[in-house]
Amino acid sequence: MTAVVDTLPETERYARAVESSKRVRWDIEKDVIRGRRFDTGHKFLPDGLSLAGAFATLSPGERRFVSQIQGRTYAKIFGLVERFINAKVLELSHDHWFGDQTALEALVRFSDEELKHQALFRRIDAMIGDVLPSGYRFDVDANAVAHAVLGKSTWAVLALTLDIELFTLLHYTQSIAADAELSEIFKDVFLYHWKEESQHAILDELELVRIDSGMTADARDRAVDELIQLVAAVDGILQAQASADAEYFAATCGRPVDDAEARAIGAAFLKAYRWQYIHSGVQHRRFGTVLGSLITEAQAQRLKAALATLQ
Ligand SMILES: [Fe+2]
Ligand SMILES: [Fe+2]
């Protein structure tokens, strides 16, 4: 996003999001999958996301397997977060029904794209299931998570969503680093997801600022606490999944893994997941700029202190 676009009137920013959304529109089968299958000779997530180096005891082949397990979890986590993001976007669209019709169109397209992304990630999950050993588990219910998240204030949900959409953009830039072993299908997943998420990040920001402008200082202060609670809830999911994925690795890697190594592998999974799903977004320059313009220094410190516990 350029500085010139930042200063455009809101209605013009919604219009640009609609224009871009139409221009980049893609199809799951025709553009992303293109009749291909996953090959376990490839990494599914790039080293910069899987934190391959953190898995100190593993061989290069085992690290590749870890990137494939993480690739499946990537599909599962996005399927999960896009469920509540879409519900929130549909709810927000209500505010524009009889107002700015361009803003309404931008949110309708946003919702439509998130439904498509969920279908893409279900497809990717099934395709990975075809090539990896059985026994993988992801025991989190997307609807139960969505209900819990949507119980928080819109401000908190939008701030979390902005974090998510921004880290999606960063994940794409990580995936384009030169790496001959990286799966071509996964590269396309990052590329095509990024194309549509770029508009979502702008719309999150517009909606967050709009909602914020109608809030009292007290309500915003409570919303900052709710954002911290939401991040902690995300972390709870990541902790459970890091354990599940470490167990799956130990059960299917084809060699014995003792308790000490199992603990180290679990810790490395958690480190990677916290990087992928929390820190890579909140460290994004735009997240700091947008949130920093809305909250006080004391609130920013509260958030920073909470994030610092997730290392
Ligand atoms: Fe998405
Ligand atoms: Fe999105």
Side-chain angles (χ1 to χ4, degrees):
M1 177 186 320
T2 67
V4 177
V5 173
D6 288 354
T7 58
L8 288 172
E10 275 169 31
T11 189
E12 183 60 26
R13 294 187 70 195
Y14 283 109
R16 289 204 177 199
V18 170
E19 248 173 58
S20 304
S21 160
K22 288 179 179 169
R23 195 178 57 245
V24 305
R25 178 86 190 165
W26 47 263
D27 179 81
I28 294 173
E29 298 301 328
K30 190 167 69 65
D31 298 309
V32 187
I33 309 294
R34 305 206 304 270
R36 294 174 292 182
R37 280 173 60 86
F38 280 114
D39 175 347
T40 52
H42 295 147
K43 295 175 202 165
F44 293 176
L45 292 197
D47 294 349
L49 292 184
S50 70
L51 302 189
F55 293 82
T57 60
L58 305 193
S59 69
E62 288 172 337
R63 290 180 190 187
R64 188 168 61 235
F65 180 37
V66 159
S67 84
Q68 294 160 356
I69 299 170
Q70 290 192 20
R72 189 163 191 187
T73 293
Y74 195 87
K76 295 284 197 186
I77 295 276
F78 271 93
L80 183 89
V81 298
E82 290 179 335
R83 186 69 53 88
F84 74 74
I85 291 173
N86 181 48
K88 181 50 80 178
V89 167
L90 286 173
E91 185 193 300
L92 285 165
S93 76
H94 184 262
D95 293 351
H96 300 287
W97 280 6
F98 307 115
D100 184 343
Q101 296 298 290
T102 306
L104 178 61
E105 184 179 357
L107 293 186
V108 168
R109 297 189 73 92
F110 184 161
S111 164
D112 178 57
E113 287 159 3
E114 292 296 25
L115 287 167
K116 180 177 68 179
H117 299 175
Q118 288 175 64
L120 167 67
F121 287 115
R122 281 194 298 272
R123 180 86 164 88
I124 293 295
D125 172 35
M127 287 169 64
I128 298 177
D130 287 341
V131 298
L132 289 195
S134 58
Y136 174 88
R137 294 184 64 165
F138 185 88
D139 296 327
V140 195
D141 178 61
N143 290 331
V145 170
H147 279 294
V149 170
L150 296 172
K152 304 293 183 190
S153 65
T154 294
W155 192 99
V157 177
L158 277 172
L160 178 68
T161 304
L162 179 65
D163 169 35
I164 292 168
E165 319 263 34
L166 287 172
F167 70 55
T168 312
L169 307 186
L170 189 130
H171 293 177
Y172 162 67
T173 51
Q174 287 280 346
S175 76
I176 52 176
D179 186 342
E181 279 183 52
L182 188 58
S183 155
E184 291 294 328
I185 306 174
F186 243 103
K187 274 194 205 171
D188 280 333
V189 168
F190 289 118
L191 168 67
Y192 285 97
H193 200 204
W194 166 76
K195 284 179 186 235
E196 291 182 341
E197 291 298 322
S198 301
Q199 282 71 257
H200 299 182
I202 293 165
L203 295 171
D204 293 334
E205 187 183 317
L206 285 168
E207 290 296 304
L208 177 59
V209 171
R210 182 179 69 79
I211 292 294
D212 182 86
S213 67
M215 284 170 84
T216 64
D218 279 354
R220 188 178 304 106
D221 198 58
R222 283 194 300 277
V224 170
D225 285 336
E226 288 181 327
L227 173 59
I228 290 169
Q229 290 159 16
L230 285 175
V231 172
V234 170
D235 194 61
I237 293 171
L238 301 181
Q239 288 188 37
Q241 196 54 34
S243 298
D245 288 354
E247 273 173 38
Y248 171 65
F249 174 86
T252 54
C253 71
R255 66 166 172 89
V257 174
D258 66 23
D259 286 352
E261 188 182 11
R263 275 196 301 279
I265 292 169
F269 267 108
L270 181 57
K271 189 174 183 199
Y273 291 158
R274 283 173 163 170
W275 165 241
Q276 286 164 35
Y277 304 112
I278 297 175
H279 299 302
S280 59
V282 295
Q283 286 172 18
H284 194 288
R285 185 188 50 83
R286 194 71 204 160
F287 189 79
T289 306
V290 174
L291 222 65
S293 72
L294 305 177
I295 61 179
T296 65
E297 183 54 31
Q299 289 163 344
Q301 287 304 327
R302 215 152 81 216
L303 186 59
K304 203 174 155 195
L307 289 165
T309 65
L310 310 177
Q311 294 295 345

